[in-house]
Amino acid sequence: MTKLAWIGLYRDKEQKWRWTGEELATNIQTWADGEPLDNETFAATYWHCDRKEWHGVRSDREIPFFCFNLMVDDVKKTWEEALEHCRETHTDLTSLNSETEQRLALSEIQHDHITERVWIGLRFFGDRWLWVNGDPLVYEAWPKGDQEHQCPLRKRCGALTKEGHWENWDCVEKLHFICY
């Protein structure tokens, strides 16, 4: 089954790919072979079984889209404080369920005034990492070769680094955070 959906990536007047927030889309590695074609101005995600690839799509084509609204808060909080704040003012701490969501979150935190890592809604409970909003943990972005997150003693809260990796971090540290 093939599904297309707009993801907020477009080609600007200088023929550079940008996210809708105007952030330059660098190091895109999820294009399908032969993509994008020269006459396509927007991009859509193509799902086929377990394969996720981006295909360029003409901007006049009507296809579904998904909305992933992220808010990076300017106040630093502990993980618990961030969770409470997000639940009171937005929906929850964000879960990142795909490479696309991960990239969208990264584009939001690439600012000098944002801490090197930000809290996300990932928490180690019992013997596994879980998203606090109940989403299944199907996508992971732990650094390759890093084993520290497998059975953390103190660092039981998840953070996203500006390099795009997840880290287990001490929950009492005060960091910026992402709500959705």
Side-chain angles (χ1 to χ4, degrees):
M1 180 175 181
T2 300
K3 293 182 181 178
L4 290 172
W6 295 118
I7 60 171
L9 188 63
Y10 70 98
R11 195 183 315 229
D12 67 13
K13 291 177 183 174
E14 289 93 36
Q15 299 298 306
K16 293 181 181 175
W17 287 97
R18 293 187 178 277
W19 292 105
T20 52
E22 298 302 318
E23 186 79 26
L24 192 61
T26 57
N27 199 20
I28 298 175
Q29 300 175 0
T30 52
W31 288 111
D33 291 338
E35 293 283 352
L37 300 175
D38 288 337
N39 63 343
E40 294 158 342
T41 55
F42 282 81
T45 302
Y46 163 69
W47 287 275
H48 182 263
C49 300
D50 294 326
R51 216 171 61 209
K52 293 181 182 174
E53 298 175 331
W54 290 355
H55 289 253
V57 176
R58 289 181 27 174
S59 61
D60 60 354
R61 185 160 174 201
E62 290 186 21
I63 59 175
F65 62 93
F66 67 89
C67 188
F68 190 67
N69 186 25
L70 299 175
M71 303 295 295
V72 179
D73 208 290
D74 284 337
V75 179
K76 295 179 192 176
K77 295 185 179 282
T78 67
W79 190 91
E80 293 283 343
E81 292 168 343
L83 177 66
E84 184 177 317
H85 176 83
C86 288
R87 288 183 172 172
E88 288 174 357
T89 59
H90 300 286
T91 303
D92 217 334
L93 274 172
T94 191
S95 56
L96 303 173
N97 294 312
S98 68
E99 185 174 348
T100 300
E101 291 179 7
Q102 175 93 351
R103 288 182 184 275
L104 292 171
L106 279 174
S107 71
E108 294 296 318
I109 66 172
Q110 298 300 323
H111 303 285
D112 291 338
H113 70 280
I114 302 295
T115 51
E116 185 58 32
R117 61 196 45 78
V118 296
W119 291 129
I120 55 178
L122 195 57
R123 184 77 187 248
F124 193 81
F125 289 110
D127 62 347
R128 70 173 66 89
W129 287 94
L130 301 169
W131 293 114
V132 294
N133 68 355
D135 285 346
L137 187 64
V138 293
Y139 169 79
E140 295 186 27
W142 302 105
K144 288 186 174 147
D146 179 31
Q147 305 294 316
E148 186 179 345
H149 69 278
Q150 290 184 348
C151 189
L153 296 176
R154 286 190 9 197
K155 297 181 178 182
R156 296 176 152 254
C157 292
L160 172 65
T161 68
K162 289 185 176 184
E163 290 79 34
H165 298 293
W166 296 353
E167 289 182 341
N168 53 309
W169 208 250
D170 193 335
C171 303
V172 299
E173 291 288 327
K174 291 196 176 203
L175 305 175
H176 289 114
F177 52 95
I178 304 177
C179 303
Y180 71 97

